[in-house]
Amino acid sequence: MNPERQKIAEDVVKASRILIKRGICEAFGHMSARLPDSDRFLITPSLSLAMVRAPEDLVEMNLKGEKVEGRNRQPYEVWLHTCLYRERPDVGGIARTHSFTTSAFAIAGEPVRPVHDFGCVMLGETPIFQDPALIDSEEIGNRLVGFIGKGAGALLRGNGTAIVGKDVPEAVVRAIYLEESALLQLKAKQIGQPIYFTPGEIQERSVDALKSPHVLRAWQHYCWEAGV
Amino acid sequence: MNPERQKIAEDVVKASRILIKRGICEAFGHMSARLPDSDRFLITPSLSLAMVRAPEDLVEMNLKGEKVEGRNRQPYEVWLHTCLYRERPDVGGIARTHSFTTSAFAIAGEPVRPVHDFGCVMLGETPIFQDPALIDSEEIGNRLVGFIGKGAGALLRGNGTAIVGKDVPEAVVRAIYLEESALLQLKAKQIGQPIYFTPGEIQERSVDALKSPHVLRAWQHYCWEAGV
Amino acid sequence: MNPERQKIAEDVVKASRILIKRGICEAFGHMSARLPDSDRFLITPSLSLAMVRAPEDLVEMNLKGEKVEGRNRQPYEVWLHTCLYRERPDVGGIARTHSFTTSAFAIAGEPVRPVHDFGCVMLGETPIFQDPALIDSEEIGNRLVGFIGKGAGALLRGNGTAIVGKDVPEAVVRAIYLEESALLQLKAKQIGQPIYFTPGEIQERSVDALKSPHVLRAWQHYCWEAGV
Amino acid sequence: MNPERQKIAEDVVKASRILIKRGICEAFGHMSARLPDSDRFLITPSLSLAMVRAPEDLVEMNLKGEKVEGRNRQPYEVWLHTCLYRERPDVGGIARTHSFTTSAFAIAGEPVRPVHDFGCVMLGETPIFQDPALIDSEEIGNRLVGFIGKGAGALLRGNGTAIVGKDVPEAVVRAIYLEESALLQLKAKQIGQPIYFTPGEIQERSVDALKSPHVLRAWQHYCWEAGV
């Protein structure tokens, strides 16, 4: 395995441990990363992310939807990833999560909106894809890609979230801060009326918040927390 | 002990550890499993599930309500299990839990309804048995069985839940997802108005959600979480 | 040390670990136990309960308010215990806690009422002592004793709770179930309107719930949880 | 290193572990302490507090805003500390946190007010600094100092809190009790209407609550909890 591929595979393994440790995923959910300069990506198998312990546990897929390598089976929802990597060259990592308070927002029919500095990593409100079906075919995968457009992700009603990033750390940090935003927004509603960040504030704060040192400081913290 | 009985006994022990680890039971609550092709079942003793460490800790009962084997005492509420196994040949495992948010729904007089994919394992809303007495006699046991009918279980007002499955993993995964449904439904109410799954959505999603690979993936995850 | 005194001292140490493990106390709060057939009691010192590791850490007091034995200092609020043991011969153990949701009920001016089977151990609603001062003199100690009357305890506005039992396990189990009641009552309010147990239901369920095997099963569970 | 400096540096390291253990900070936030009889202070570096393990990890700054010593980089928001130490000779320790429920109050535009004994350490309500920008320049640092005045700290909308103390333990205990106050105030709102402490009650209880033995008992507990 070349060093760049090895590094990306290790990031996917670390991301799996982080998402489990924080309860962003439990038995279901997956994580993937594009292999640069290729038509391929690595994805966690059809198993709980808690079982993903080494690069050898991952599955390598191509953008035609075919498995290329790996002893494990790809997840049923691999099309969510395939379709996103096809249409979004800016995307290098995808987190398919079941974060809890975020899910409650989708169930209540309300998007999650930035209310704090870190939440600006989502670039604005995260909208709700209303179809509760699994993203297990090219057809529904393409519909979801069209729905997300140029955005950072979507809530899937009754079925968690899909979050993209330029790489694995950005997708993971976004998944964590999206849940944090949802929980802050919920608590603020219990206190009174949330003061949402304005488009100008989101724009300004997101520039800082998505800078590499900032994302990598958070990634380092969550790696520490997960013991990886 | 024959291998099938051994496997079932080990599943009851694992289930006990899972329910404790997730806080679905604390000092009270029990778990049981039918012994196939017999009039018998295994049940955890009159002790916290945290004390259940090995098949030898279990009690074997027959469907007349008699203890057949085991060094420990059966729980006072053994009739809940006896009566269900008598009337429901499709039931192979029963979880008698005290999951917290689920209990709050019974106290508020509101059934728990599916709001997400995983919640469809309950096949629809889980209704409330209003009598807060212990299920410690054949009479009240039969009343509860009549109340549950062909359903997946019931909330017991002021006294937790009773949940059935075709086997131990199904009963446990249902217990976990019922609590998850309750918590999501509660949070969605704090945000706005929950969008409940329609009967058609429940029907469609429950077929997938109760397939063996799906239930066993969740069971494997929760075994990992509990260290068993 | 005679064996009975030793057993009681060990129960106070175990109780301290349990209250810390469950977050019923953090840096403040104390636990005491009457020494039978004497005018004396043992109490945890003026330190976090997390520092209480052995019988030698306890302070022995008499009912005149004098320290009789012990290398540590008694807590400022020792009068809460002294005055209760004087007036309530049925009391053998006292938990002075800062359980969280219970405290919120006092702050909202609403007593905690039984809504589930286990909550009946408090024998009815737990009323609020409105004075937020420390219980650090005989005068306020006696006022609190008068307020509690024959009850199982009181919420202290802005200052936690005082809970009595016939012995240490009963006081501890009551402290845990009072917090559980508060949390269930709060969640039920978020869902709809709590259905409180009627006086008849409380009376009936409390007889069972305060039987020794029931309390000791819970005590055994919480000892296991705290690793003692 | 002289013993006093060594002791202060160790307190900053302990404080970092405490804030991480309790979730008062995650990847961001910092802690600082004035070096007595000097124009200098120690501050945690531009890293998660989880990475701060020894005095050598700290950065020494002077009150001109210059780094004097240390292998690590100071945080971008060092000006928050510099400006406070310049104008507030009574301040010896500063906690820059992201405590969660406290943050939700700022997002809802509502200050946190004392509702319990321990909450009186903040001396009254903690007001909200409305500008969500980082405190990364002398200009905004001075504006924040003017806003805090003689107070114990401020909520920063969308960006956590800034809390001062006469030394590190006082700043840390205040940070913990401010979050506790926020959570109690929120829960009391869910139950009914919080009964806030009156100015007289705050004044009276804060005298006791800020006495050294009281603060040090809490500090000892939180050190134990964090394993330091």
Side-chain angles (χ1 to χ4, degrees):
Chain A
M1 207 185 275
N2 71 57
E4 188 180 29
R5 190 189 189 283
Q6 179 69 16
K7 170 70 167 57
I8 288 172
E10 283 168 4
D11 277 357
V12 174
V13 173
K14 286 179 182 175
S16 300
R17 305 297 298 159
I18 290 170
L19 295 175
I20 287 291
K21 177 67 181 179
R22 292 198 67 87
I24 301 282
C25 289
E26 293 194 348
F28 296 88
H30 17 103
M31 188 75 218
S32 72
R34 190 196 293 273
L35 292 173
D37 307 319
S38 80
D39 70 336
R40 300 189 177 185
F41 63 94
L42 295 174
I43 188 164
T44 55
S46 189
L47 287 169
S48 162
L49 291 186
M51 309 302 149
V52 177
R53 315 299 297 209
E56 294 72 47
D57 296 326
L58 305 178
V59 183
E60 187 170 330
M61 301 288 301
N62 67 25
L63 293 185
K64 293 181 216 149
E66 297 162 339
K67 175 174 160 179
V68 179
E69 202 185 307
R71 60 185 179 209
N72 286 315
R73 205 193 152 289
Q74 69 270 31
Y76 294 98
E77 293 196 309
V78 71
W79 285 106
L80 181 153
H81 304 258
T82 314
C83 297
L84 276 163
Y85 287 124
R86 277 186 194 160
E87 298 298 321
R88 289 278 302 264
D90 60 313
V91 168
I94 300 172
R96 169 76 176 93
T97 79
H98 290 274
S99 52
F100 213 78
T101 305
T102 312
S103 296
F105 272 81
I107 289 164
E110 184 161 330
V112 175
R113 295 164 63 185
V115 288
H116 76 323
D117 186 274
F118 305 150
C120 298
V121 296
M122 293 304 290
L123 305 175
E125 84 172 33
T126 308
I128 306 163
F129 186 68
Q130 291 293 346
D131 190 336
L134 294 185
I135 314 297
D136 57 1
S137 73
E138 199 167 0
E139 184 276 326
I140 191 169
N142 281 330
R143 262 198 290 139
L144 177 62
V145 170
F147 181 78
I148 292 178
K150 294 171 185 299
L155 314 186
L156 311 180
R157 183 171 68 86
N159 212 357
T161 78
I163 299 164
V164 304
K166 72 174 187 214
D167 52 19
V168 168
E170 187 173 288
V172 166
V173 168
R174 275 179 166 163
I176 292 171
Y177 288 154
L178 175 63
E179 176 67 5
E180 201 169 292
S181 293
L183 196 46
L184 282 170
Q185 188 174 336
L186 171 58
K187 285 197 176 226
K189 277 171 175 283
Q190 295 173 333
I191 297 162
Q193 204 52 36
I195 303 165
Y196 298 103
F197 270 39
T198 63
E201 286 172 345
I202 293 170
Q203 166 64 22
E204 192 187 332
R205 302 307 314 131
S206 69
V207 173
D208 273 3
L210 288 170
K211 275 185 187 151
S212 276
H214 185 97
V215 169
L216 290 178
R217 175 171 170 174
W219 171 256
Q220 184 188 27
H221 175 83
Y222 297 117
C223 284
W224 165 83
E225 186 184 87
V228 293
Chain B
M1 205 187 275
N2 70 58
E4 188 180 28
R5 189 188 190 283
Q6 180 68 17
K7 169 69 167 55
I8 288 171
E10 283 167 5
D11 277 357
V12 174
V13 173
K14 285 179 183 175
S16 301
R17 304 297 298 159
I18 290 170
L19 295 175
I20 287 292
K21 178 66 181 181
R22 292 196 69 86
I24 301 282
C25 290
E26 293 194 347
F28 297 89
H30 17 104
M31 187 76 219
S32 71
R34 189 195 294 274
L35 292 172
D37 308 320
S38 80
D39 69 336
R40 300 190 176 183
F41 63 94
L42 295 174
I43 188 164
T44 54
S46 188
L47 287 170
S48 161
L49 291 185
M51 308 303 149
V52 177
R53 315 300 297 210
E56 294 72 46
D57 295 326
L58 305 178
V59 183
E60 186 171 330
M61 301 288 300
N62 67 25
L63 293 186
K64 292 182 217 150
E66 297 163 340
K67 175 174 161 179
V68 179
E69 203 185 307
R71 62 187 178 206
N72 286 316
R73 205 192 152 291
Q74 69 270 30
Y76 293 98
E77 293 195 309
V78 71
W79 285 107
L80 180 154
H81 303 258
T82 314
C83 297
L84 276 163
Y85 287 123
R86 277 185 194 161
E87 299 299 321
R88 290 277 302 263
D90 61 314
V91 169
I94 301 172
R96 169 76 177 93
T97 79
H98 289 275
S99 51
F100 213 79
T101 304
T102 313
S103 296
F105 272 81
I107 288 163
E110 184 161 330
V112 175
R113 296 165 62 185
V115 287
H116 76 321
D117 186 274
F118 305 150
C120 297
V121 297
M122 292 305 289
L123 306 174
E125 84 172 33
T126 307
I128 306 163
F129 186 68
Q130 290 293 345
D131 190 337
L134 294 185
I135 314 298
D136 58 0
S137 74
E138 199 167 0
E139 184 275 326
I140 192 169
N142 281 330
R143 262 198 290 140
L144 177 62
V145 171
F147 180 79
I148 292 178
K150 294 171 185 299
L155 314 186
L156 312 180
R157 182 170 69 87
N159 211 357
T161 79
I163 299 164
V164 305
K166 72 174 189 214
D167 53 18
V168 169
E170 187 174 288
V172 166
V173 167
R174 276 180 166 163
I176 291 170
Y177 288 153
L178 176 62
E179 176 67 4
E180 201 169 291
S181 293
L183 197 47
L184 282 170
Q185 189 174 335
L186 171 58
K187 285 198 175 225
K189 276 172 175 284
Q190 294 173 335
I191 297 161
Q193 204 52 37
I195 303 166
Y196 298 104
F197 270 40
T198 63
E201 286 172 344
I202 294 169
Q203 166 64 22
E204 192 187 330
R205 302 308 315 132
S206 69
V207 172
D208 274 2
L210 288 169
K211 275 185 187 151
S212 276
H214 184 98
V215 170
L216 290 179
R217 174 172 170 174
W219 171 257
Q220 184 188 28
H221 175 83
Y222 297 116
C223 284
W224 165 82
E225 187 184 88
V228 293
Chain C
M1 205 186 276
N2 71 58
E4 189 180 28
R5 189 188 190 283
Q6 179 69 17
K7 169 70 167 57
I8 288 171
E10 284 168 4
D11 277 358
V12 175
V13 173
K14 285 178 182 174
S16 301
R17 304 298 297 159
I18 290 170
L19 295 175
I20 287 292
K21 177 67 181 180
R22 291 198 68 87
I24 301 283
C25 290
E26 293 194 348
F28 297 89
H30 17 104
M31 187 75 218
S32 71
R34 190 196 293 275
L35 292 172
D37 308 320
S38 81
D39 69 336
R40 299 188 177 185
F41 63 95
L42 295 174
I43 189 164
T44 54
S46 189
L47 288 169
S48 161
L49 291 186
M51 308 302 150
V52 177
R53 315 299 296 210
E56 294 72 46
D57 295 326
L58 305 179
V59 183
E60 187 170 329
M61 301 288 300
N62 67 24
L63 294 185
K64 291 182 218 150
E66 298 162 340
K67 175 172 160 180
V68 180
E69 204 185 306
R71 62 186 177 206
N72 286 316
R73 206 192 152 292
Q74 68 270 30
Y76 293 98
E77 293 195 309
V78 70
W79 285 107
L80 180 154
H81 303 258
T82 314
C83 297
L84 276 163
Y85 286 124
R86 276 185 193 161
E87 297 299 320
R88 289 279 301 263
D90 60 313
V91 168
I94 301 172
R96 169 78 176 92
T97 78
H98 288 276
S99 51
F100 213 79
T101 305
T102 312
S103 295
F105 272 81
I107 288 164
E110 183 160 330
V112 175
R113 296 165 63 185
V115 288
H116 76 321
D117 185 274
F118 304 151
C120 297
V121 297
M122 292 305 289
L123 306 174
E125 83 172 34
T126 307
I128 306 162
F129 186 69
Q130 290 293 345
D131 190 337
L134 294 186
I135 315 297
D136 59 359
S137 74
E138 199 166 1
E139 184 276 325
I140 192 169
N142 281 330
R143 262 199 289 139
L144 177 62
V145 170
F147 181 79
I148 293 178
K150 294 172 187 296
L155 314 186
L156 311 180
R157 182 170 67 87
N159 212 356
T161 79
I163 299 164
V164 304
K166 71 174 190 216
D167 53 18
V168 168
E170 187 174 287
V172 167
V173 168
R174 275 180 167 162
I176 292 171
Y177 288 154
L178 176 62
E179 176 67 4
E180 201 170 292
S181 294
L183 196 47
L184 282 169
Q185 188 175 335
L186 171 58
K187 285 197 173 226
K189 277 172 176 282
Q190 293 173 335
I191 297 161
Q193 204 52 37
I195 303 166
Y196 297 103
F197 270 39
T198 63
E201 286 172 345
I202 293 170
Q203 166 64 23
E204 192 187 331
R205 301 307 315 132
S206 69
V207 173
D208 274 3
L210 288 170
K211 276 185 186 152
S212 276
H214 184 99
V215 170
L216 290 178
R217 174 172 170 173
W219 171 256
Q220 183 188 28
H221 175 83
Y222 297 116
C223 283
W224 165 83
E225 187 184 88
V228 293
Chain D
M1 207 187 275
N2 71 59
E4 189 180 29
R5 190 189 189 282
Q6 179 70 17
K7 169 70 167 55
I8 288 171
E10 284 167 4
D11 276 357
V12 174
V13 173
K14 285 178 182 175
S16 301
R17 304 299 297 159
I18 290 170
L19 295 175
I20 287 292
K21 177 67 180 180
R22 293 199 65 89
I24 301 282
C25 290
E26 293 194 347
F28 296 89
H30 18 103
M31 187 76 220
S32 71
R34 189 195 292 275
L35 292 172
D37 308 319
S38 80
D39 70 336
R40 299 189 176 184
F41 63 95
L42 295 174
I43 189 163
T44 54
S46 189
L47 288 170
S48 162
L49 291 186
M51 308 304 150
V52 177
R53 314 300 296 210
E56 294 72 46
D57 295 326
L58 305 178
V59 183
E60 186 170 330
M61 302 288 300
N62 67 25
L63 294 186
K64 291 183 220 151
E66 296 162 341
K67 176 173 160 181
V68 179
E69 202 185 308
R71 61 185 179 208
N72 286 315
R73 204 192 152 291
Q74 67 270 31
Y76 293 98
E77 293 195 309
V78 70
W79 285 107
L80 180 154
H81 304 258
T82 313
C83 297
L84 276 163
Y85 286 124
R86 277 185 194 162
E87 299 298 320
R88 289 278 302 264
D90 61 313
V91 168
I94 300 172
R96 169 76 175 93
T97 78
H98 289 274
S99 52
F100 213 79
T101 305
T102 312
S103 296
F105 272 81
I107 289 164
E110 183 161 330
V112 175
R113 295 165 62 185
V115 289
H116 76 321
D117 186 274
F118 305 150
C120 298
V121 297
M122 292 305 289
L123 305 175
E125 83 172 35
T126 308
I128 306 162
F129 186 69
Q130 291 294 345
D131 189 337
L134 294 185
I135 314 298
D136 58 0
S137 74
E138 199 167 1
E139 184 276 326
I140 192 169
N142 281 330
R143 263 199 289 138
L144 177 62
V145 170
F147 180 80
I148 293 178
K150 294 172 185 298
L155 313 186
L156 312 180
R157 182 170 69 87
N159 212 357
T161 78
I163 299 164
V164 305
K166 72 174 188 213
D167 53 19
V168 168
E170 187 174 288
V172 166
V173 168
R174 275 180 167 162
I176 292 172
Y177 287 154
L178 175 63
E179 176 68 4
E180 202 169 292
S181 293
L183 196 47
L184 282 169
Q185 188 175 335
L186 171 59
K187 285 197 175 227
K189 277 171 176 282
Q190 294 172 334
I191 297 162
Q193 204 52 36
I195 304 166
Y196 298 104
F197 270 39
T198 63
E201 286 172 344
I202 293 169
Q203 166 64 22
E204 193 186 331
R205 302 308 314 134
S206 70
V207 173
D208 274 3
L210 288 171
K211 276 185 186 151
S212 276
H214 185 98
V215 170
L216 291 178
R217 175 171 170 173
W219 171 256
Q220 184 188 27
H221 175 84
Y222 297 117
C223 284
W224 165 82
E225 187 183 87
V228 293

